[in-house]
Amino acid sequence: MSPSSRAADGRLDSRPDQPTGASPGPGVTRLDLGPGAEALLAVPPGDLRPRPLLVFFHGAGGTAEQSLAAVAELVTARDVLVLAPTSTGTTWDLIDGGLGRDVAVLDAALAQVFAGCPVSQVAMSGFSDGGSYALSLGVANGDLAAAVLAFSPGFVSSPGRYGRARFWLSHGTDDPVLPVDRCGRRVSAELLADGYDVTYEEFAGGHVLTPELVTAGLEWWLGAPAG
């Protein structure tokens, strides 16, 4: 199967391996992906060592910078790497014309991260359209990402199922953009019916991503911090 058809199926080929390239230092690094492609990597302080990696997808009209502003401080405080791509269109390819271009960019970004950083485990996450994208790619790549954290997602749609990721979803009961009945509740029920391990949490609020929600998702994934 050609790389392009793999991307059209939502499949990611890159896998964690022994790093072979230069390691990025602590802070934010802009990956070199060529024209029209953007991804930022946030690296926690401290010596190079195996760390979990969280891939975070922004909502419609968002950017990698906005993703890092929303989650990077909390995530890197848990000694976790954050990879934040920017969609090549106004939103992710799955929603805007079909899987392919953003999957290919993500695969190239992951290859660079794995070449420079030892990665112990991978999770996918996102907000709104990005939450839908994380769920869909998580179903298609459960053999890479063992966990998915979706904040206020709208749907899950994947052309194939690989591996068995576990899922954590949150949704506001007063969400005016993606109503909870036809989004969070329906999506979590669909995943449960498909036999996945699903944790679903609702909160009193709208279409928002708060530090408290990010913390709750991280604790589900990584466990509560010591202390």
Side-chain angles (χ1 to χ4, degrees), residues 178-202:
L178 297 173
V180 65
D181 277 335
R182 65 177 176 85
C183 295
R185 291 172 185 169
R186 178 182 59 81
V187 170
S188 60
E190 288 177 355
L191 289 167
L192 279 168
D194 282 344
Y196 287 101
D197 180 346
V198 180
T199 298
Y200 175 60
E201 297 187 8
E202 291 184 359

Side-chain angles (χ1 to χ4, degrees), residues 134-142 148 156 158 160-163 165 167 191 196:
L135 291 173
S136 301
L137 289 192
V139 170
N141 296 279
V148 177
V156 57
S158 177
R161 288 169 166 77
Y162 296 86
F167 295 87
L191 289 167
Y196 287 101

Side-chain angles (χ1 to χ4, degrees), residues 109-138:
L110 286 168
Q112 288 194 24
V113 174
F114 295 151
C117 302
V119 171
S120 58
Q121 59 175 308
V122 178
M124 293 184 181
S125 184
F127 171 67
S128 191
D129 275 8
S132 301
Y133 201 55
L135 291 173
S136 301
L137 289 192

Side-chain angles (χ1 to χ4, degrees), residues 16-106:
D17 201 352
Q18 188 69 27
T20 57
S23 300
V28 176
T29 297
R30 185 176 300 274
L31 301 184
D32 183 10
L33 300 172
E38 179 183 55
L40 302 177
L41 176 67
V43 178
D47 296 335
L48 186 68
R49 55 183 172 271
R51 292 181 168 107
L53 170 67
L54 181 74
V55 180
F56 191 90
F57 303 109
H58 59 71
T63 65
E65 287 86 352
Q66 291 171 344
S67 293
L68 293 188
V71 306
E73 183 175 355
L74 290 168
V75 177
T76 56
R78 296 292 300 265
D79 203 35
V80 175
L81 302 158
V82 187
L83 175 63
T86 297
S87 60
T88 54
T90 56
T91 191
W92 301 101
D93 54 6
L94 175 65
I95 306 161
D96 185 21
L99 288 165
R101 61 187 187 275
D102 287 328
V103 179
V105 169
L106 175 59

